């Protein structure tokens, strides 16, 4: 029997990965309220926004305003996405605790998502990493399409490892293995994680699983069997990627916390307050929470 971790850190990426995909406007104030509710629920890592082109992702155009509007709390790490130096220069004055560079394991997705090859993306990230480290800011990364690509199809562990190595070479501190379209299954996830763990220690590898095919919880469990203990999740199961059509949101934070509670694994998260956060943002979007646990607990309260 493998040993599961006793404690797991969840990074809520809902305000960024979740909301980036929403067509309807969400006010800066509501985005900031969502962040407040997440930290009230005990989240210690929150991905707040992205400094990308507003032409590419209009919903994140108020990035600077959102960073100014959040109520910062000691002990909470606020991260933002920065695809290039232009994004980094805009992000720096907003004082993020961590920045995230995002590469892809497939050339086709790299082109569609950030309009350049994998090699070019690494060249763009290198000065971003340097500037972040000079400013004492940690650099996390995401490797998109690590379990499959909407354009290329299959993606091999070799392709993932190649990008992980490139990220390591430019000094990225942490690597997040992302199943952008949610097609991964447990053994494949373990095979890819094994490659990441050749280059980064356990504490600096995380999983980012979209739940399109309903595999995300199982994949988290499979990664925990290897000792991984950091995962991204999105409150209410919000989101998707605008450049991966049909991909649904990340695994819902509520669903992950429910599973971890059942396993006796600590997260420091209050599930009732988390459900409140999910209900709040879903109400702003005019639809019920995607999270099954969120819906079940709301129904129980109502009953
Ligand atoms: P580009 O068009 O190749 O950029 O886009 P460029 O350098 O040629 O510049 C073109 C214009 O964009 C210029 O403006 C630049 O100033 C501007 P113009 O002179 O035409 O007015 N520009 C910017 N503006 C604001 N912020 C910036 C920036 N950079 C250039 N940082 C670029 C390249 C990377 C900017 C573009 O492709 C882009 O913004 N892509 C964003 C895609 C994105 O946000 N995708 C979703 C996030 S990734 C994701 O969801 C996956 C993840 O969750 C993990 C997973 O699930 O896989 C992380
Ligand atoms: Mg994502």
């Amino acid at each position: 029997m493998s040993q599961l971790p006793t404690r797991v850190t969840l990074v809520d990426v809902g305000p960024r990965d979740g909301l980036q995909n929403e067509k309807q406007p969400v006010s800066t104030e509501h985005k900031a309220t969502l962040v407040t509710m997440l930290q009230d629920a005990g989240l210690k890592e929150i991905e707040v926004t992205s400094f990308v082109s507003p032409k590419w992702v209009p919903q994140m155009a108020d990035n600077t305003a959102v960073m100014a509007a959040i109520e910062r709390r000691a002990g909470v790490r606020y991260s933002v996405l920065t695809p290039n130096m232009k994004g980094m220069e805009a992000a720096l004055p907003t004082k993020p605790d961590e920045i995230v560079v995002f590469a892809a394991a497939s050339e086709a997705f790299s082109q569609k998502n950030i309009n350049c090859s994998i090699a070019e993306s690494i060249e763009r990230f290198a000065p971003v990493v340097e500037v972040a480290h000079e400013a004492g800011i940690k650099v996390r990364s995401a490797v998109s399409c690590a379990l499959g690509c909407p354009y290329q199809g299959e993606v091999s562990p070799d392709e993932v490892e190649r990008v992980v190595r490139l990220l390591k070479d430019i000094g990225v501190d942490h690597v997040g293995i992302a199943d952008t379209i949610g097609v991964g299954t447990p053994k494949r996830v373990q095979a890819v994680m094994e490659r990441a763990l050749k280059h980064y220690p356990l504490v600096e590898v995380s999983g980012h699983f979209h739940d399109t095919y309903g595999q995300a919880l199982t994949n988290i469990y499979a990664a925990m069997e290897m000792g991984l203990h950091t995962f991204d999740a999105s409150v209410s199961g919000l989101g998707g990627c605008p450049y991966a059509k049909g991909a649904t949101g990340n695994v819902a934070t509520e669903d992950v916390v429910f599973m971890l509670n059942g396993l006796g694994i600590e997260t420091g998260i209050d599930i009732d307050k988390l459900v409140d956060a999910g209900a709040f943002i879903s109400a702003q979007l005019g639809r019920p929470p995607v999270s099954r646990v969120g819906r079940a607990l709301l129904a129980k309260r109502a009953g």
Side-chain angles (χ1 to χ4, degrees):
M1 263 286 283
S2 48
Q3 188 84 39
L4 295 178
T6 55
R7 192 181 168 85
V8 156
T9 300
L10 295 180
V11 182
D12 203 296
V13 297
R16 193 283 303 172
D17 201 353
L19 296 180
Q20 74 180 6
N21 210 33
E22 293 296 336
K23 294 269 181 303
Q24 59 180 306
V26 178
S27 72
T28 302
E29 187 195 337
H30 288 151
K31 290 174 182 169
T33 302
L34 176 61
V35 170
T36 301
M37 293 182 86
L38 290 173
Q39 60 201 19
D40 284 348
L43 266 302
K44 295 280 186 262
E45 299 208 28
I46 304 174
E47 203 170 272
V48 178
T49 186
S50 56
F51 286 84
V52 298
S53 162
K55 285 186 195 135
W56 284 62
V57 186
Q59 187 65 261
M60 298 286 110
D62 62 348
N63 40 31
T64 295
V66 172
M67 286 298 279
I70 60 174
E71 289 170 33
R72 298 212 187 200
R73 205 159 290 169
V76 179
R77 190 189 281 167
Y78 303 92
S79 56
V80 302
L81 264 60
T82 52
N84 53 19
M85 273 310 293
K86 171 125 186 162
M88 186 62 185
E89 278 156 14
L92 267 180
T94 74
K95 302 205 178 311
D97 300 301
E98 182 179 61
I99 58 123
V100 185
V101 293
F102 45 110
S106 91
E107 283 296 346
F109 192 76
S110 187
Q111 291 292 349
K112 295 275 185 192
N113 194 40
I114 50 177
N115 206 24
C116 62
S117 68
I118 296 170
E120 283 164 344
S121 75
I122 299 291
E123 270 170 42
R124 289 179 190 181
F125 301 154
V128 173
V129 175
E130 215 170 295
V131 168
H133 284 164
E134 275 163 18
I137 298 172
K138 185 169 179 180
V139 183
R140 189 152 55 84
S141 63
V143 179
S144 291
C145 297
L147 278 307
C149 168
Y151 309 103
Q152 172 186 314
E154 291 275 312
V155 173
S156 71
D158 283 347
E159 288 173 283
V160 177
E161 186 176 354
R162 179 182 154 241
V163 179
V164 170
R165 195 184 283 121
L166 291 171
L167 291 166
K168 177 88 185 181
D169 287 347
I170 59 166
V172 167
D173 302 301
H174 178 107
V175 70
I177 298 298
D179 186 4
T180 314
I181 55 171
V183 291
T185 45
K187 290 277 180 228
R188 298 243 14 242
V189 166
Q190 290 182 337
V192 170
M193 290 302 184
E194 213 172 277
R195 300 302 188 93
L197 289 169
K198 279 193 190 171
H199 304 277
Y200 283 88
L202 264 179
V203 64
E204 298 299 357
V205 178
S206 58
H208 174 110
F209 300 110
H210 285 259
D211 202 26
T212 318
Y213 289 80
Q215 304 298 303
L217 283 180
T218 323
N219 289 339
I220 288 177
Y221 194 95
M224 287 197 305
E225 284 188 320
M226 301 175 75
L228 266 90
H229 51 79
T230 310
F231 299 97
D232 293 356
S234 173
V235 64
S236 177
L238 294 174
C241 173
Y243 298 98
K245 287 273 169 288
T248 63
N250 275 87
V251 63
T253 317
E254 298 91 316
D255 297 8
V256 183
V257 172
F258 187 86
M259 176 179 78
L260 297 176
N261 284 349
L263 291 165
I265 297 173
E266 262 180 67
T267 60
I269 296 169
D270 177 327
I271 197 160
D272 287 313
K273 289 186 177 166
L274 183 60
V275 168
D276 292 340
F280 164 78
I281 193 64
S282 300
Q284 300 312 318
L285 296 167
R287 56 168 190 257
V290 177
S291 162
R292 309 258 292 256
V293 167
R295 288 203 303 266
L297 292 178
L298 287 169
K300 199 167 158 191
R301 276 186 202 171

